[in-house]
Structure formats: C-alpha cells, structure tokens
Amino acid sequence: MDKKYVYFFGKDKAEGNAKMKELLGGKGANLAEMARLGIPVPPGFTITTEVCTRYYESHGDYPSGLEAQVKESLIRVEDAMGAKFGDNENPLLLSVRSGARASMPGMMDTVLNIGLNDITLKGLIAQSKNERFAYDCYRRFVQMYGDVVLGLKPVEKDERDPFEIILEEKKEKNGVTFDYELSSDDLKELVIEFKTEIKKRLNIDFPEDPLEQLWGAIGSVFSSWNNPRAIAYRELNHIPEHWGTAINVQAMVFGNLGEDSGTGVAFTRDPATGENVFYGEYLLNAQGEDVVAGIRTPRPINNLQKGKSLLPSLEEEMPEIYNQLLDIRKTLEIHYRDLQDVEFTIQRGKLYMLQTRSGKRTGFAAIRIAVEMVEEKLIEKEEAIMRVEPEQLNQLLSPILDPEEKKKAIAQGRLLAKGLNAGPGGASGKVIFNASEAEELAQKGEEDIILVRIETSPEDIRGMNAAKGILTARGGMTSHAALVARQMGKVCVVGSEALEIDYSKQVMRVKGREIKKGDYISVDGTIGEVYLDKIKETPSETLQVLIDKTLEPKESDIYQIFTKIMSWSDEIRTLGIRTNADKSDQVSVALSFGAEGIGLCRTEHMFFEGDRIDSVREMILADDKAGREKALSKLMPMQKEDFISIFRLMDGMPVTIRTLDPPLHEFLPKSEKEIDRLAKKMGILREKLTTKIEGLHESNPMLGHRGCRLGIVYPEITEMQARAIFEASCQVAKEGIKVVPEVMIPLVGHVRELIMQKQVVDRVAKEVMESCGINIEYMVGTMIELPRAAITADEIAEVAEFFSFGTNDLTQMAFGLSRDDAGKFLPYYINKRIIEKDPFQELDQDGVGKLIEIAVQRGRNTKPTLKVGICGEHGGDPSSIEFFYRTGLDYVSCSPYRIPIARLAAAQSVLRSRNRGVGGPKKAQ
Amino acid sequence: MDKKYVYFFGKDKAEGNAKMKELLGGKGANLAEMARLGIPVPPGFTITTEVCTRYYESHGDYPSGLEAQVKESLIRVEDAMGAKFGDNENPLLLSVRSGARASMPGMMDTVLNIGLNDITLKGLIAQSKNERFAYDCYRRFVQMYGDVVLGLKPVEKDERDPFEIILEEKKEKNGVTFDYELSSDDLKELVIEFKTEIKKRLNIDFPEDPLEQLWGAIGSVFSSWNNPRAIAYRELNHIPEHWGTAINVQAMVFGNLGEDSGTGVAFTRDPATGENVFYGEYLLNAQGEDVVAGIRTPRPINNLQKGKSLLPSLEEEMPEIYNQLLDIRKTLEIHYRDLQDVEFTIQRGKLYMLQTRSGKRTGFAAIRIAVEMVEEKLIEKEEAIMRVEPEQLNQLLSPILDPEEKKKAIAQGRLLAKGLNAGPGGASGKVIFNASEAEELAQKGEEDIILVRIETSPEDIRGMNAAKGILTARGGMTSHAALVARQMGKVCVVGSEALEIDYSKQVMRVKGREIKKGDYISVDGTIGEVYLDKIKETPSETLQVLIDKTLEPKESDIYQIFTKIMSWSDEIRTLGIRTNADKSDQVSVALSFGAEGIGLCRTEHMFFEGDRIDSVREMILADDKAGREKALSKLMPMQKEDFISIFRLMDGMPVTIRTLDPPLHEFLPKSEKEIDRLAKKMGILREKLTTKIEGLHESNPMLGHRGCRLGIVYPEITEMQARAIFEASCQVAKEGIKVVPEVMIPLVGHVRELIMQKQVVDRVAKEVMESCGINIEYMVGTMIELPRAAITADEIAEVAEFFSFGTNDLTQMAFGLSRDDAGKFLPYYINKRIIEKDPFQELDQDGVGKLIEIAVQRGRNTKPTLKVGICGEHGGDPSSIEFFYRTGLDYVSCSPYRIPIARLAAAQSVLRSRNRGVGGPKKAQ
C-alpha cells in the first residue's frame, strides 16, 4: 500500500493534529487541531512535507498514490461543502496554500479561487447571486494563476506585473481609481484580456480543466519553497532547507460577498506589549490579502482597542461574531497555552477560522506573556523560561528616546507624525528609502539607518535587518513591516499615514517639510512617533531601574516582570555568570545585571586612561630594563588604584585579572603629529622615535609579540602588574573586604610559558603579602586561546589553577581567520552557506568546540577540580552558552549588557538537556 | 650498605665496562673497557654521575660512603703504581678529569699533578731524577689548582690570568720567550710567587694536604658541569642537564720527562676523509694539553701522513711504540666497531692509553667509514645507516669552490695561505675576527661569514655555529677548531700559520697583504687553502654526478659510497619520498636525488615567470568576472605548458598540484615606480590602481583572503588552473606517458570549502577529458594546515581523496605564531629553553604533532585507505620524519636537496622503531 500523503480535515474531525507539524506543516497541523476542537474551519486537506522532499529529490515528480489520495480527500471536501469541484451549478472553489513547519509568512506562493472557468463561473454567479463578485473572483484567479503558476510574475524589482499594466489601463480608460470601482463588464473584459496576454506571452491556453488548475497550483507552491525570498528568509531564520513545505488545499470561503462578509486577523493578546487583551483588525467585504497588504487601513476588532479612532469596531458591527471569536480565543489559549495569531473570514454572517499559529511578539510581549501565563497557571516556570528568546531581553534593555529631548523637540515643532507602535524602543538615524541601499550601507559600517518605506514586502527583509529602525506610511499592526520588526526586535512605527513618500525623488514630505535621503529622523516605537532630526537615545526604564537602585519603576510593571524571569532563571541554571569589565562604572552595571564575578579584567584598557598612555609609551620605548622599570613604576600606583576600586565593588566575588595582552605597537602614536608631540615630550629625536616605532611593526600582529610573550621577554611588566594586584588586594583586605584575585596569563601556548609567568606572580605575591602581613588566597591560571594550548591542556593543567577560554582568538587560530580581514570573504561564505553562521558570533561547535572539549577533558583529567570558564565574546551568545554548559564549564563571562541574556540562556540550557533526557554537563571522570 | 659510587680500573681488570656510560661517563667506561682488553691505562677510579646529581640536589654535599669508597680505591691505585699518595719518598700524583655520558671536549675542568706539596716534591725529584721537571709539575699544579679550584681563573674575556701575568714578568725578567726556557730556580720562585698571589687575592693558604687537594679538585670538576661554556655546549648539542658528569681520578703519567717521553692523539681512521688509515699527532717531551692547545705544531704519527713535512714521525722516532699503537688501534676497532679517537702518553718509553672514544668525523668520513665497515664485515648495513647523521649527507652535497675560478685566482696570486683541511667544502665570506660579532651579524641575517681566529676556544662555539667557514692560524687536526667544525659540518681550515692575525686592529696580514674585517676571503676546507676575495661556490662532485648522469665520478669514490648508503636506506624505508618542486629544473634535480613523486607543486611560483606577472595583475585588478576570465585565459596556456613539462619528466609518478594559495596582494607592485609602470601598461589612472592595491591590504595577511578562499570567491581561478592541469594531462597521456595528477586544495578549514572546489575541478576534468576523448585517473585532496581541518578531519575525509599536512601553517596557527614576526621573541624562547627547538625547523610533536595524529586517525576512520602525506618544510627534517613515520603517513615531501636526508632518515625511523620493539607505524583500525 502507498504511504499516507494526504490528511483530511473538516467539521469537528481531522486525520491530523497539532503535534504533526513536521509532516503537515504548522498551518495544516493547526487546521486539523482546530477542526478537532470544534472550531469552524473550511474543510480541506493537507499534502505532507514528505511529498515536497520527494518532489525535489525526483526533480518534480510526485510519489505514486498521491493523485488517488488527493482525489479521495477532494470528494470528502465536496461532501462537507455540498458542492462539487468543476461543477457548473454549484462549483466548489479551492485555495492552495503553503505551510511549512516554521511559519514563513508571505514567502511562498498561494493560489485562490481554483476551479473557476467559463462554465463553473456560471454556477458561481448563480450561487452567489452576485455577478460582479463572480467576475472579480475569476479576474483575480486568472491573474494569480498567471503570475504564480504560469510564471508571469515579475522577477526583477523594477519590472511591472503585465496584468497590473492591463488593469491600470482599464481603470484609466474607465476613469476610475480603485479596483472595486470597475464594473462587472470591465472585469469580464479583463478576464479575456488577461488570457490573451498569457497566450501572447507564453503561447499557451489558460487551463480550463479544474483538476489541471489544482495540480498546477500544487506544483507551483512546492516550487516556491526554493524561491529566492524563501531562501533568504530561511537563511535569516536558520530554517533548514530539507524541511520542505506542506500544502493545504481548502474550500474557498469569501469575505468579499458584501457588507455581511469580512475578513480579519487577531492575536489572543497584544503582541506588542503582551497585555492580556484581545487584539486584532478586520475589513468588511474584503479578502484576506487586503488586510495583510496594508492597502486599506483595517478597523479595530474591539472598542478597547478603538481608542480615538473613528472607524467602527467588529465588536460594534458584528457583536455575535465578535463574541464567537472571543470564545474561540479562550479555547485556543487554554488549548495551546500560548499567544495565538489567527486569521478568520466571515462569509455572509458565518465565521470561519482560516489559521491559528503561535503569534510573533516583541521581546516585551514575550516576557510579559510568559510570566503572566505562569501566574494564570497556564504554564510552568520552566516553560515560561523556554518561551523567551534570550535576545528578546535586549528589547527591555535597549535604548529609548530621551524623554527630556523629546519634550524639547515637541516644543520646537519637530514631532512630524504619529503611527502604530509596532516595535518598542527608540532609534535615531539617517533616512534611507531603499532596502538594498540600507543593506549596502550597513555592510560599510553605517549603524544609524532608519528604513522608510510606504510599505514593506518580503524582498526588503535584508534591508530591514540592516536598519536600526523601520518606519512605514501604510499598514497595521499585522502588516509585513510590523510582523518582521517584531520578530527582529527592531524599533518600528507603521501606518504613519501623514508621511508622503516619494521614492523617485528620494524624499518624504510631512507637515510642509521635506526630508531627504540621509537626513536624520528619530522614531519612537514604544508609542509610535516620528521626530525630525536626532534625539539622544538613553537607557530604557528597566535598565535605569536596574542600574540605579534608588529609582522606583514607573509607568509599567515590566521591570518586575524582568526580575521574575531572571530569578526563575537563576533558580534553574548551574553555570556561573561573570562579566568582562575593566573599569568601575562597567563593574557597577554588571553587578546590577547580576554578575557573580569578573571573568576578564583587561589591564591594558587601564593604560589608555588620562596621561597614563605617556608612561606606557615611555616604558615601550625605553632602551633597557632600567628605563622600562622607571616607566612602570609610574604606572604601578595607577593600576593599583583601579584594582582597589574594583575589589571594593566586587566585595568578595572573584576577579580575574589578565596581564598585559595586546602587541606593544597598539599603544604607540600613528600620526605624524602625535609622533612629533611624543618625541618632544620624551625629549628624543623624531627620527629615533620613528625608528623605534617601525622596529615594532609586525606583518601579522595577531600572530606576533603579544600576550604572555610580552611578560616573558619583559618580566618587569608582569611584575609591576602583579605588584599592583597584590598591593591593592592587601589594602582592600585590610578594610575588611574579602578579595578573591585570579591572575590570568594570556596566550599561553606552552606550559613553560605559564610556569615562568606564574613564578613571577607567585614571587611578587609572596613579597607583597609578607610586607603587608596579610595572607590573600589567590589563583594563577591561563587563557586557553591557542589550539596548541587546547591540545596540551593536560600539561598546562599541571600548573594552571584555572582555565578561561578565549574563544575569539581560538576561533581565529583554528580557522586561520583574522576578524579584521574576514570581511573580504566571510559574508560571501555565510551567504553561500559554506559556514552556517559567523563563527565570531556563534561558537563553531564542530571545530572550535571540539578543541574546547579536548581541552576541558584533558585539563580535568590532570586536575579534576580545575575551574574552567570562558571569557570570549561567545560568553554572551545563547547557543554558545548551551554548548559551554554541556561541555561542563563552571562559568561564562560576558559583557555587562549581555548578563541577563546569559542568565536566561544558562537556565534554558539546563531545561533543554533535561528535555533531551541528558543528565547535564559532562564532568571529569 | 651504601650504594657503589666508585669504580676501580687497573692493569687488565676493571669494575666497570663500556656499557656503563650512563653511570661512569664515556671516558670512565672506556678506560674500564680498555683495562679489561689488556690495553695499558694508568690505574684509577671513576666516581659515578649519580654523585654529580646528588651533589646538585643537595647543593654541594656528597652521599654517605663516598669518602670511604674513594679511600679504598685510592689504596688499589697506590698498590698498582707502587707509590703512595702524599708520600715523601715515592709520591703518587693524581689527575682529576670530568667525563660525561656524551663527550663535551674542553668544556669542564681538569686538575693535574694532585698530591704535590713542598714535601712530596722532594720525592718526585728523587723519583724522576729531574728537579726542573718536578718544579715544572709543581708550578703547573699550583697554577691550575689556583685557577680551577680556588677560582682565580679569569671570567671575562679581556681579563688576564693573574698567574700568566706573573709568568710573563718572570720570562721578561729572565729575557726568555718560552716557558721551557725557565730554569729550575725560576720555577721554584714561581711556585712561591703563585702561592703569595693566592694568599693576597683570596686570603687563603694554598692547601698542602694531598687529600684536601683531591677533594677540592673533585668538587671543582662537579661544579664545572654548570659553568656557562658547558651549558652553552649542552644547549647546542641537546645534552640534558640532568645527566651530570662522572669524575675520573687517575695516576699521573708524564709525557714531559724527556725526549723518551711524549704525548699524542690519534684516530683509528682519517676523521676528515674517512680513509682507513691510522691518523694522529704527537709531541715529544710534552703534556697532553700542549697538543690540543695548538701552541706547538704537533708531528705526524706515521710516514704516510708525513707527506712533505720536515717533522719526524712517531713511526720513525719510536717504531716500537708506534707498532704497539697500531696493535691497539686494531684491537679497539674490532672491539668497538667504530672510529676511535684516542689519547696516549709515553712515559720514559712506556705507552699508556689515556682515553678512547668514538671519534668525531666529517660527513664525508661518517659515510665512508660506515660503508667501508660494512664491507669489512665489522658492522651490518642497518648499523651503517644508523651511524650517519642524516644532516651529514649535506656535506657531500654542499658547495665547493669553483675549480676554474680557483685556477684563475692562483694565476692572479690570490692564494694567500695553506693549512689543514679540517672541514671539507668551500665557502666565500666576510672576514670576522670575533665570535660574538659573528653571532650578532648572523642574527641580523648575514650569511657570508668566515670566522678567522688565531685559535678557537669553547667560548667561540656560538660564533662558529653562526659562520659559514672557520679559519685558524694555529692548531692541528685535533685542535678545538678542527674538532668543532667537524662536528658542525662547517667548512674549516686550521693551522694556517702564514696568517698574522691582529685582533686589536681587526686585520690579518699575509704575503704582504692586509685583509680587514669585512673583506671577502674564500676557504677551501677540502684541501686546506685560503684565497683572497670571493670565489664562486659550485655544486660538489657528488652533486654534479647526481645531477648530470653523463658525468663520471672523478678523483674520489665518494659518489659510490653515497649511492650505497642511499640504496641500503631505500631497502629499509617504507615512507615514500616526494619533493616540493614547481619548475622543471627543480624537478630534474629532485629526480636525481631519488624523488618518487611531487608532493607539492606550487602553481603561484609559475605566476612570477617572465611577463606572466602582468596577466596575473590584470586578473587581480579586473573589475568583474569577465575581466578576470580574460586575464586568466592568457595565463592558462602558460600554466599548461609548465604542467606538460613536469608531467613528462615525472613519467608516471604522482604530481600533487596545489591551486592558488597566497593572498593576491603578494602579486601586486609595492614601489611607487612599479605602480606607475603598471598603471601605464594597464592604461588606468595611477590613483585607481593605488586604491585597488590599498583595498587588498590586510592587517593579518596570514589569516586573510588566501588559500582556497580565493578559489571560492573567484571560482574562475580554480577553473583555469584545473583546465591547465587536465589539458596538460591529456596531451602528455596522448604521447603515451602515464600521468598521475593529484589536485590539492589549500587552506581548507571546513569540508564545504573542499566540496565546492572539488566540484569545480571535477567538472572541468570531465569537460576536458570528454573533449580529448581520454580518461585520466586523478585525485582531489586537501592540505591539512588549519587546526580546524585537523579536528574535523573525519568530515573532510568524506570528500578528500588524500590529505597533505601543511606543517608550516599548522605550526603557525597552533602556536598563534607568525614566522615573519617570531624573530622578536622566538630566539629568546629557545635561548631560555621555553621551547626546546624552533618549531618551524623541527616539528613540535607534543602540540602540532598531536593535531596531526588526531587528523590521521579521524581521517582514516572515515576512509581507511586515505593517502596521507606532508609537504611542509618539516618533510626534510630527520626527527620530524621519524614522527611522520610513526604516525603512519604514506610519504613525506621535501625540497630537492633534502631528499637524500629524507631517504636516510626514513630508513633510520624504521630501524629505530624495530630497536624499540615497536612494530612500526600506527595504521587505521
């Protein structure tokens, strides 16, 4: 017997269910589930993703048995609808829609009104008693089919749809502006003209056979899985190509059969703020794409949401339908225990649900919904933790427009327009009207881009990703722009209708002002406002309260929600979270965010403060050890003061201090002028200075004289730093504050390097502690950032008291790839999918990760109690954090602002390994 | 009971033997062995190396029981000599000499004539019936003891020995030139003056107690194990510090008791040429140090060696002693089955052997002796192979002075002087008179240094190592200079007495000419000649015969000997030997040397030939793919021609061709002038060209856009190269010659890079082969030169048909160390022994080697038949070759001139693992 490829769903029953997303796609699985829940859905069937995979493997063939199964299910749909596909009296019309495992909104093709031809049209007219409607369906069908299935859809951006050209001509000829102003006869003519155009361009006759139409649409939707937009979307969202899409064939229902019909979309809670209120939009006498496309401004679903709008709400216009929707909302939320995003159509007063799926939401909303659902006892804490993407926490912490500056701007008349608050936060940047241009500018390093569009479309995705903020003139909260911005966590205002955008002149006009490409505007996505010129960005409220404990959280309770999710995470996680911080202000921020120690204090950052750089340069340029020691003795008290303030703040938590790391030439002046100044200051000849500087030049500084190689050739540097650390330790300890210094030697490749540097540190520690009469417990350890260090970790662990992975350098060395130079080919690599992700952002687990595993294993074999952490930038990346957890690290260290993310990600790592039934991290034998 | 620390040896018997070198040192073990063989040695005893180790561990203490054992052995020596230590009638005098496991000639201290004081002196006078001799002994003893044991020996180079000052004054006062012109009374006075000087300087009385003298000498010799010279020597010769030295205490015998006494050194064969003739030097009425120090020119040991010398030979002067020596020579060679280096003393007509040891020899000699001893059935082939240091083969192949130019130089009167041919080969270079200066210059990259010294001393070792040739005015074939040069394989002429060297003016004068520091001279170490100015260096005879098969070997049979050792090596070795060669002339040389394939053909080297570089630049600077393809199409036929000639030469042997590897900017002009020229030629603006060039700049080119990253971003480059390879293959195959191309993709870090490049190669191969109608078997493989590639070798082996380790880059990446920049600290590291050896010369087996092991294991797990080779420079380094053999590689590839070394080293690897009882290389499971 053939495999089952087709799953039917209809009134109150279905062959599939919500758990079958892999096979039926999200849409298909949820349609089946809704049918099972007794929620009204138009009957139909789902063709499985396996068929898609087979379709690609066999270059366009279908598995045997599929045709028969489709036929069989079609009969069940006909039965359920009491209509017949291709019938000339009561014809059943079908929609064919894609539906992948993960939602890819708008990326693939859809064909509606399948089954119409000159004969069935008559049946539709008879059934609908609305000739104009029937011809409109027919016209739309021929156009859609011609575009999507027959391939007349424009490929290039500047190309125009041939059908649109004919349509425009028709409207012009009739002196009308909108499609709906065309008469039944006009539409009738259009059908003929469209078909003639197809014949002319493709030399084929438009297929009149409904079954041929159906199979054409199915093939086309499968093909669209690999269209460029879909590929780009998958890349951006890390969706594997091999998943494939399912296809949903469903009976058509019409929201455009008059004023008793309509269509809408809704969220079971507010997807922007997360508030537990029903939230949605609808249009009467319209088809679904009219809402999403943002051409007509949709109406609010209820009075709560209506606000000052003059448009009527569904609650007012169709109270029964609205109540039925409210019931469905409740059913769905209790059943799915998550925010649902639904589509519905009202056909002559009867409600049909076309889709339900887990709703995209802002970071704000994700966290609020997760926390509140725990309080509503819909979900457990663990599930709440898994519901929040760690990166979404950024939204709570990302900047807003400075309230004081905003007030001033309003006073100056710089508030240009209002719109919908589709993506919270504030952003100031240059106006760019074109997505590709935004992308190019971003690649060149431009960070301040506000992408301004009339409306956005899937082609704009990369440009939206490149922008800091997104602003559209049209579209509602469920428009493409809003949807995507929500998902990307971008600051976004949509439907700011006062804006008059002129792409050809690359300007926008509003309130009598003209804003050109490149001019600065500021966008407030939290409340939906657009300002002229720059407005300073300042920390968000959550951030302010976190940092300044004296402040009380104002306006919203988002701070409490943030605190809850963090404390739940802390209950679960086992990884320690430290921070990379060099100065006391950074340390304070990190502590507010929950740092449990400093994992990386870069001493060289201290070298740049104030006049210190001059002493540093004096040290570097000294002719001999005596000269270096003289300069170092000036630096010592300054470093000591820095350590004192850090130790005081950390108050008993461990502080890992790395000895000098960067190549010395980084401290030297580059410009002629600076060199002159320095020569004068040092009282030496310019030429001598230049020669010295040139002598320090390196062909490959990344592979040069840096890291512990400095401290080995110039042990006096390490000695000075050790002295500063231990004198500071003793002094703070005398104040009664516990001090836990961990001295970290960078770029060790051979255990003997560590031995030599440790000797210096231990000797100085002993001297200082003896002279102070205090004993401080301290550790000396090393960074593991060279492949050789990872491979010989067993030897290094004989000496090291801790390891800290420097994953930035380890990635550079393992790949033979300099971060500074990778720009020439790494984007190409990621684009061509040679490398899945930028290995400097997300740890390369297959390669660099293996080195880390080897190092942990060998290190702990030598010293089972070895403390192991990571202080590269991957310490703040969720997927890398999970890897570190699995590999058995003790802590991760990240930049202060990444700490909340790391805390959440660490908790998720525990939960994920529980779910997989793995006991937890690997431990030493 | 206490451990045995003291081993007695005497007439025909001994407690030790030759196998106990670890415990008794080389000298002690061989003295014991000679005694057992019935060879006359002065009786004595050896204090073991364990005592030395204990001495250092306990900071100068001796183990309990040592004193008693020394006393006991001393009594046996007294019995054997019929004299008593400290006796006033017939006093026994003792020598105390170091003797480590490995010979460290002249590095440690020696004290002679121990046991003399004002009382025993009288006994010595009575016994020797020679008052002057006795006082000379006493004077020498006090001076030596004062220097060595009491510490008055000068430490700084420019410091003068206080005893020498007194001695000089004494000679001046008496109006004599030489020590031996001083009278008995003068010497008597000197003893008193020396003792007074000691009292004055050190405020101690000279020890009169013979036992106190003995223990003082023992302590001093142990201490000298760690004097700076000894440490430097150990570093250079990789002798571990922990071995320690043994001490030999022996009855004194005197070669300076008159004309019936004497002393000498000899080799059982000629250590310079290896000829099977007895070779040695002696002096009558002299002590051993007089021969070695080179102050008096020694006499030839036999008539054969005498040549045109006017000095009488030992064969003439003491024929009986000479015959006795000949017998001993035979006994020793049969017993030790190796060249022996012996010291002897004749005391009043009686022969004593003071030492025998394996003799240092030139590469020439090592190979000839090894081969001839096989023919004499003294040793097996396997042992002969193990007897030759692979690097010594270089001497057969290293340059000589061009014979034609030498003729001309003689005609021009430029032959300055003759001397002894202590180190074969020819060298032209700048005269440098100071060893440290030579060392400094070499560090700055100067390669052409001839170190010219009156005589050399152990302090000069580093400078000798830095020089290309060594020339001394004094000393014989066993002088320090000759010994060291022989060992280092340096070109060397010693005892060129016509040279008048003036250190203070930094000139030497000869034949009325003055040669200043920095002037060029040329040294012929094969026959012992010194020329003015440069003389071209040309290939050695062996090399010429090897390369030009039409030549017949002339003069010597060294070519046959070379061929024998090579063919024996080939019988034993299992590793394949390939070569790194890019051009047909290199390929020819490599084939002469026995290459079995090309392991690395760098295509980019071909890019620099003639005008090609212009097309390469055109390709690099092209604005688009079309431009690049146009330039590439010009390069294709040229590359193809190169491949054709290589394939023809290789005639069925595999040829591994690497696709383009270096960063593109390496091909671009650097100077303003060149840029101007290129801009003009290309017809573009200078500014545009400059911008392009700047655009290609990289911060870390080693980690930048190079290797397969080029071929991936510009597949047209790989395509062109593949086309050239396969078109050449087809054409040569049509000529009836077998072609075995192996295309090698460089710098692969991720398997997908290899997949993409392999697709290009396979496609082009298919196209070309189809259009030629020929099928060529070929492989596509990859270099493993990134740590990530090594770690993910299992994945890469899914695609790669072979691996070739690029150990240069692998070392750079594993250590995070650029070869270009390491100069700033790597010498320091090696000096401080942080890293034992330069990892770019000798593979770092502990780190980089582990990565290689991982890669081989993972690669062969995936593909058990995977062919694995290495083409980094370590492919020609003996210790690395042994590692590659053990790790199971199939072949090594090295530069043409290293092939003989690689063949020998590969055979030695097999023999060594047999000796260790290991079955051979690791193989895949």
Side-chain angles (χ1 to χ4, degrees), chain B residues 1-219:
Chain B
M1 221 188 79
D2 290 313
K3 210 165 171 183
K4 185 164 178 62
Y5 294 114
V6 177
Y7 287 74
F8 173 79
F9 53 86
K11 189 171 156 45
D12 301 346
K13 63 184 171 215
E15 292 176 343
N17 64 53
K19 287 185 184 138
M20 297 170 75
K21 283 199 180 119
E22 287 190 20
L23 197 62
L24 305 182
K27 186 195 273 279
N30 284 327
L31 280 168
E33 191 76 10
M34 283 199 286
R36 283 169 179 266
L37 288 171
I39 293 169
V41 295
F45 53 86
T46 306
I47 302 174
T48 66
T49 54
E50 282 182 356
V51 177
C52 183
T53 313
R54 297 278 290 270
Y55 179 83
Y56 279 102
E57 280 171 4
S58 63
H59 307 285
D61 282 351
Y62 296 116
S64 103
L66 177 68
E67 207 181 329
Q69 293 181 25
V70 165
K71 245 181 211 161
E72 192 192 323
S73 294
L74 187 53
I75 291 168
R76 294 178 73 177
V77 176
E78 288 172 337
D79 289 349
M81 291 298 282
K84 243 180 118 57
F85 190 56
D87 194 65
N88 53 8
E89 290 191 356
N90 189 13
L92 172 69
L93 300 190
L94 294 174
S95 66
V96 173
R97 289 187 174 90
S98 65
R101 205 191 295 190
S103 168
M104 291 170 60
M107 296 300 139
M108 286 179 283
D109 291 337
T110 294
V111 188
L112 303 178
N113 302 330
I114 298 167
L116 274 178
N117 56 28
D118 291 347
I119 297 160
T120 57
L121 179 78
K122 294 189 171 55
L124 184 62
I125 296 172
Q127 288 295 322
S128 66
K129 302 184 186 68
N130 186 335
E131 194 185 17
R132 196 197 166 281
F133 156 78
Y135 272 110
D136 191 38
C137 285
Y138 199 13
R139 186 274 300 176
R140 286 179 192 248
F141 169 59
V142 175
Q143 177 169 359
M144 209 169 208
Y145 200 92
D147 272 346
V148 167
V149 183
L150 304 180
L152 283 186
K153 191 156 131 187
V155 179
E156 296 300 324
K157 272 190 184 180
D158 48 358
E159 212 179 313
R160 283 187 65 201
D161 184 329
F163 301 119
E164 285 297 325
I165 297 171
I166 296 168
L167 187 62
E168 289 300 315
E169 279 167 4
K170 180 69 66 188
K171 285 191 280 188
E172 216 164 285
K173 199 181 126 200
N174 287 285
V176 302
T177 314
F178 298 105
D179 295 1
Y180 61 80
E181 294 171 301
L182 290 171
S183 71
S184 185
D185 283 345
D186 294 336
L187 296 168
K188 202 170 176 175
E189 283 168 28
L190 275 176
V191 168
I192 296 162
E193 286 166 27
F194 283 1
K195 287 186 176 176
T196 312
E197 183 74 10
I198 289 167
K199 178 75 185 169
K200 193 181 92 190
R201 288 185 167 241
L202 304 172
N203 195 26
I204 50 172
D205 295 312
F206 189 87
E208 300 286 324
D209 174 14
L211 268 178
E212 188 186 343
Q213 292 172 359
L214 176 62
W215 284 105
I218 290 171

Side-chain angles (χ1 to χ4, degrees), chain B residues 234-295:
Chain B
R234 287 203 298 270
E235 268 177 32
L236 219 57
N237 293 280
H238 307 310
I239 298 173
E241 190 190 326
H242 66 83
W243 279 5
T245 184
I247 285 183
N248 298 291
V249 180
Q250 236 178 328
M252 284 295 299
V253 288
F254 297 96
N256 55 345
L257 268 173
E259 290 303 309
D260 58 349
S261 299
T263 188
V265 296
F267 290 89
T268 55
R269 302 189 183 209
D270 185 329
T273 67
E275 265 185 290
N276 189 358
V277 294
F278 193 38
Y279 189 97
E281 298 164 335
Y282 77 104
L283 284 171
L284 287 187
N285 199 13
Q287 279 201 322
E289 64 264 36
D290 300 333
V291 184
V292 179
I295 293 166

Side-chain angles (χ1 to χ4, degrees), chain A residues 695-706 708-709 712-715 747 749-750 752-753 756 786-789 791-792 794-795 812-818 820-822 824-825 828-829 832-836 844 846-848 850-851 854 858, chain B residues 695-706 708-709 712-715 747 749-750 752-753 756 786-789 791-792 794-795 812-818 820-822 824-825 828-829 832-836 844 846-848 850-851 854 858:
Chain A
L696 285 168
H697 171 81
E698 295 182 308
S699 323
N700 291 283
M702 201 61 77
L703 305 171
H705 196 187
R706 63 185 192 102
C708 70
R709 296 162 190 172
I712 282 176
V713 176
Y714 309 117
L747 212 74
H750 196 293
R752 279 198 283 270
E753 294 176 309
M756 287 181 76
L786 294 174
R788 195 185 187 284
I791 287 286
T792 62
D794 44 350
E795 291 171 13
Q812 294 199 107
M813 304 303 173
F815 273 93
L817 192 67
S818 137
D820 298 334
D821 302 309
K824 288 206 175 65
F825 53 93
Y828 183 92
Y829 266 49
K832 292 270 168 190
R833 316 197 60 171
I834 298 170
I835 296 181
E836 298 266 347
D844 160 49
D846 296 337
V848 180
K850 290 239 173 75
L851 282 172
I854 288 173
R858 296 192 178 177
Chain B
L696 286 167
H697 171 80
E698 294 182 309
S699 322
N700 292 282
M702 201 61 78
L703 306 172
H705 195 187
R706 64 183 191 106
C708 70
R709 296 163 189 170
I712 283 176
V713 176
Y714 309 117
L747 212 76
H750 196 293
R752 279 199 282 270
E753 294 175 310
M756 288 181 77
L786 294 175
R788 196 185 187 283
I791 287 287
T792 62
D794 44 349
E795 291 171 14
Q812 293 199 104
M813 305 302 174
F815 273 94
L817 192 67
S818 137
D820 298 334
D821 301 309
K824 288 206 176 66
F825 53 93
Y828 183 93
Y829 266 49
K832 292 271 168 188
R833 319 197 58 168
I834 298 169
I835 296 181
E836 298 266 346
D844 160 49
D846 297 336
V848 180
K850 291 240 173 76
L851 282 171
I854 289 173
R858 296 192 178 175

Side-chain angles (χ1 to χ4, degrees), chain A residues 330-347:
Chain A
K330 204 173 165 187
T331 307
L332 289 175
E333 272 221 342
I334 289 172
H335 186 71
Y336 284 102
R337 302 176 310 124
D338 195 10
L339 167 71
Q340 293 296 298
D341 164 0
V342 299
E343 286 178 22
F344 60 90
T345 284
I346 305 153
Q347 177 173 304

Side-chain angles (χ1 to χ4, degrees), chain A residues 247-461:
Chain A
I247 286 183
N248 298 292
V249 180
Q250 238 178 326
M252 285 295 300
V253 289
F254 297 96
N256 53 345
L257 270 173
E259 290 303 309
D260 58 350
S261 299
T263 188
V265 295
F267 289 89
T268 55
R269 301 188 184 208
D270 185 328
T273 67
E275 264 186 292
N276 189 359
V277 293
F278 194 38
Y279 190 95
E281 298 164 335
Y282 77 105
L283 283 170
L284 287 188
N285 199 11
Q287 280 201 321
E289 64 264 36
D290 301 333
V291 183
V292 178
I295 294 166
R296 282 161 64 188
T297 300
R299 301 173 179 186
I301 205 159
N302 55 22
N303 297 340
L304 179 72
Q305 190 186 329
K306 195 178 160 179
K308 290 173 191 162
S309 167
L310 295 175
L311 295 168
S313 73
L314 187 69
E315 193 177 1
E316 290 167 332
E317 291 201 312
M318 294 182 168
E320 270 177 45
I321 296 283
Y322 178 72
N323 282 330
Q324 197 185 344
L325 268 175
L326 274 186
D327 285 346
I328 291 171
R329 172 199 175 211
K330 204 173 165 187
T331 307
L332 289 175
E333 272 221 342
I334 289 172
H335 186 71
Y336 284 102
R337 302 176 310 124
D338 195 10
L339 167 71
Q340 293 296 298
D341 164 0
V342 299
E343 286 178 22
F344 60 90
T345 284
I346 305 153
Q347 177 173 304
R348 291 195 170 147
K350 184 165 165 26
L351 177 69
Y352 291 95
M353 300 305 292
L354 299 186
Q355 166 152 302
T356 186
R357 59 184 174 190
S358 170
K360 298 250 157 54
R361 62 207 83 175
T362 64
F364 274 95
I367 301 166
R368 157 163 255 151
I369 291 170
V371 170
E372 290 186 351
M373 281 193 171
V374 172
E375 284 161 355
E376 293 162 21
K377 302 211 187 303
L378 273 175
I379 59 174
E380 298 291 322
K381 283 176 192 175
E382 285 77 5
E383 191 161 2
I385 286 170
M386 294 308 289
R387 287 269 178 93
V388 181
E389 286 280 341
E391 296 287 347
Q392 289 177 324
L393 290 170
N394 266 340
Q395 284 188 32
L396 302 196
L397 307 171
S398 51
I400 57 169
L401 296 184
D402 184 84
E404 292 308 308
E405 286 211 9
K406 265 184 16 179
K407 271 186 210 158
K408 257 187 260 171
I410 291 167
Q412 292 163 350
R414 281 164 49 206
L415 175 56
L416 294 177
K418 296 202 172 195
L420 299 173
N421 54 340
S428 234
K430 292 172 189 163
V431 169
I432 299 296
F433 294 105
N434 179 298
S436 346
E437 195 176 343
E439 199 186 342
E440 280 160 26
L441 282 172
Q443 275 172 1
K444 286 180 190 152
E446 177 60 66
E447 291 177 349
D448 284 2
I449 297 169
I450 308 287
L451 181 66
V452 180
R453 301 282 301 165
I454 298 173
E455 50 188 326
T456 63
S457 70
E459 283 87 0
D460 298 330
I461 282 189

